[in-house]
Amino acid sequence: MIERSDLTSSNRTLSASSLKDRLAKLTVTPLRPVAALQARVDFVPASIPRVRRLQTVSVALWTNMIPICVFLTLFLLSYPPLWPFMILYIIWVHTDPAPERGGRMSPWLRSIRFWKFFAEYYPASYECDLPADRPYLFGYHPHAELERGAMCNFANDSTGFSRGFPGVRPHLLTLTSNFTIPFYREILLLLGVCSVSKRSCERILRKGNGSAITIVVGGAAESLSAHPGTADLTLRKRLGFIKLAIREGADLVPVFSFGENDIYEQMPNEKGTPLYKIQKKFQNMFGFTLPLFHGRGLLNYNWGLLPYRRQIIAVIGRPVHVKKTDNPSVEQIREVQEAYITELLRIWNTYKDEFARTRRRELSIID
C-alpha cells in the first residue's frame, strides 16, 4: 500500500522537476493563434506611403457607396421631423426623368481629386483618336464583377478623357434599378451615368455630334465567366447595341480592358456545377446574377471585398463607321458585328503580350 504522504511527496517532486517545462509551454501557447492568424492573413504594413492609403480609401468608399447611401437613407428616416422632406425626396426619386434624359453631368465632380486617387489604384489608361464630329457608341469588354476600368475612363475625368477626346461627352450606362437608390442615384447622375434603357440611349445619341454612350456588353452571363487570366466574351448573340448604333448613325467603338477580370477572385463555377446552376436560375428570375467573389481588405492583402491592386489598361480601338439606317436588315447588322469583332480581336492580338502576360488562355467569344 502506498501511503498518502508518499504520493504527495512524489507529486511535489514531479512538479518541481517539470516546472521549467510547464512555464515554457504557458509562454508559447497563447502565441499560437496569433501566429496562425498571421500565416493566413497578409496584413498591410505600417510603412505604406500616404498616397497609397488615400488610393485604397477612395476605392473602399466607392465600393461601399451603395450600403453607405442606404444607411444614410434609413438614418434620416429614423428622425420624424425629416419625414416630410424624405417622403418628397423619395417621390422625386421615382419620378425624376433625368436617368432617361442624359443625367445632370457635373464637370467639377467628375474632375475632383478623389477620382484621381481612384484611378491611380489600378491604374487605368486609354489610347485612340476620336474626332467630335459624330455620335459614338463605346462597347466595353469584358463584363467583370465590377467594371472599374469603365468607371475610371467614362464616368469621371481621372484619366484625362476630356483632354484626350475634346468635345466628346461620355455617358456610362447602368441598370435602371440603380437610380432607385436615394443619394447614390444623385452621384451617378452628376457623373453623367445614365440608364441603359433603349429610350435613354436614343435620347443621348440624338443630342448631336460628340454625344457618346458606353455600354458594358455581355451582361450577367459574361460576369459569371470573369476569372483572372481569362477573357471569355458573350458577344455573338448581343446584337441590340449594334442595331441601335446603325439606327442612330453612331460609330461603334470597341474597348477592351486588359486586367478587368484580374482584380477579383471568383469561386469555381464552371458550367454544370451546382453553383453555376443556382446563379443561372437567379439570373432567370431577377434579370441579374450574383457572382461569388473576393478580393482584399482595407488592412490586409488577401481577404475581403475590395479589389486587388492590379493594373487595368483600357484600350479604345478604331471606330467602326456605320451608315445610318432606320430599319437595318439582319445581314447589315451581322456585317457590322463582324467588323466590330475583327477590331476587338485586333486590339487583343496587338496588346496581349504587353498587358496580358499572365493570361491562362486566349480571348474567346463563347456565345
Side-chain angles (χ1 to χ4, degrees), residues 121-139:
Y121 180 87
Y122 300 106
S125 63
Y126 60 86
E127 60 176 64
C128 190
D129 183 22
L130 299 175
D133 59 355
R134 70 204 72 175
Y136 291 101
L137 192 160
F138 294 91

Side-chain angles (χ1 to χ4, degrees), residues 260-277:
E260 188 76 55
N261 283 347
D262 298 340
I263 61 176
Y264 281 108
E265 295 282 350
Q266 188 171 174
M267 291 183 63
N269 62 339
E270 289 75 16
K271 288 186 177 181
T273 61
L275 176 58
Y276 181 83
K277 293 178 180 178

Side-chain angles (χ1 to χ4, degrees), residues 330-343:
V330 175
E331 291 75 16
Q332 287 176 301
I333 296 173
R334 289 292 183 184
E335 182 180 353
V336 174
Q337 184 192 50
E338 287 303 318
Y340 181 90
I341 292 176
T342 298
E343 174 59 16

Side-chain angles (χ1 to χ4, degrees), residues 10-316:
S10 175
N11 286 345
R12 288 176 180 174
T13 302
L14 180 62
S15 299
S17 64
S18 61
L19 181 59
K20 185 177 180 179
D21 293 337
R22 293 187 178 184
L23 288 176
K25 290 180 180 180
L26 288 174
T27 303
V28 174
T29 300
L31 297 179
R32 288 175 183 169
V34 177
L37 180 62
Q38 290 177 341
R40 292 193 302 268
V41 181
D42 185 10
F43 287 104
V44 176
S47 59
I48 292 296
R50 177 174 174 270
V51 66
R52 286 174 64 89
R53 293 186 183 278
L54 290 174
Q55 293 164 3
T56 303
V57 169
S58 66
V59 171
L61 284 174
W62 184 250
T63 301
N64 293 282
M65 189 55 65
I66 290 180
I68 289 173
C69 291
V70 171
F71 175 80
L72 176 61
T73 302
L74 295 176
F75 176 77
L76 294 177
L77 286 173
S78 68
Y79 189 55
L82 293 179
W83 285 357
F85 301 100
M86 291 303 297
I87 291 173
L88 290 175
Y89 176 61
I90 291 174
I91 294 174
W92 166 258
V93 165
H94 289 86
T95 57
D96 178 25
E100 304 284 339
R101 296 183 177 179
R104 291 186 282 268
M105 187 183 295
S106 168
W108 174 82
L109 184 62
R110 287 171 59 92
S111 60
I112 60 175
R113 183 61 179 165
F114 174 88
W115 299 114
K116 193 69 174 179
F117 287 129
F118 182 85
E120 289 172 348
Y121 180 87
Y122 300 106
S125 63
Y126 60 86
E127 60 176 64
C128 190
D129 183 22
L130 299 175
D133 59 355
R134 70 204 72 175
Y136 291 101
L137 192 160
F138 294 91
Y140 189 89
H141 310 269
H143 191 300
E145 295 89 354
L146 301 171
E147 300 78 30
R148 298 314 176 94
M151 276 295 302
C152 292
N153 288 282
F154 299 102
N156 60 74
D157 204 31
S158 58
T159 57
F161 189 97
S162 62
R163 296 189 302 273
F165 308 127
V168 178
R169 303 178 299 279
H171 295 273
L172 180 62
L173 305 184
T174 187
L175 295 175
T176 304
S177 58
N178 285 325
F179 296 97
T180 62
I181 304 173
F183 304 111
Y184 180 67
R185 70 185 303 274
E186 310 304 335
I187 299 174
L188 293 180
L189 291 172
L190 291 174
L191 292 175
V193 181
C194 297
S195 169
V196 75
S197 69
K198 179 182 177 182
R199 180 186 301 178
S200 172
C201 296
E202 292 174 344
R203 284 180 172 175
I204 294 173
L205 293 176
R206 290 173 184 175
K207 289 186 176 182
N209 295 338
S211 297
I213 60 176
T214 302
I215 298 177
V216 183
V217 185
E222 187 173 300
S223 68
L224 296 180
S225 303
H227 295 276
T230 67
D232 299 330
L233 307 184
T234 303
L235 184 55
R236 290 288 180 189
K237 295 181 180 180
R238 305 289 176 171
L239 300 176
F241 75 104
I242 295 177
K243 183 178 180 180
L244 172 67
I246 297 174
R247 292 181 61 180
E248 301 301 326
D251 280 5
L252 273 165
V253 185
V255 182
F256 190 85
S257 187
F258 291 89
E260 188 76 55
N261 283 347
D262 298 340
I263 61 176
Y264 281 108
E265 295 282 350
Q266 188 171 174
M267 291 183 63
N269 62 339
E270 289 75 16
K271 288 186 177 181
T273 61
L275 176 58
Y276 181 83
K277 293 178 180 178
I278 292 173
Q279 290 174 325
K280 293 299 292 184
K281 287 182 179 179
F282 189 95
Q283 177 187 345
N284 294 334
M285 291 176 61
F286 299 101
F288 65 95
T289 190
L290 298 174
L292 299 180
F293 59 88
H294 74 86
R296 56 162 290 182
L298 191 62
L299 299 176
N300 73 82
Y301 288 129
N302 59 347
W303 189 253
L305 293 178
L306 297 187
Y308 292 113
R309 185 188 288 268
R310 293 171 180 168
Q311 188 181 55
I312 296 178
I313 302 294
V315 178
I316 298 177

Side-chain angles (χ1 to χ4, degrees), residues 339-358:
Y340 181 90
I341 292 176
T342 298
E343 174 59 16
L344 194 61
L345 292 173
R346 185 199 66 81
I347 295 172
W348 170 262
N349 291 324
T350 302
Y351 295 99
K352 64 181 181 180
D353 291 333
E354 183 178 359
F355 300 142
R357 295 176 182 175
T358 60

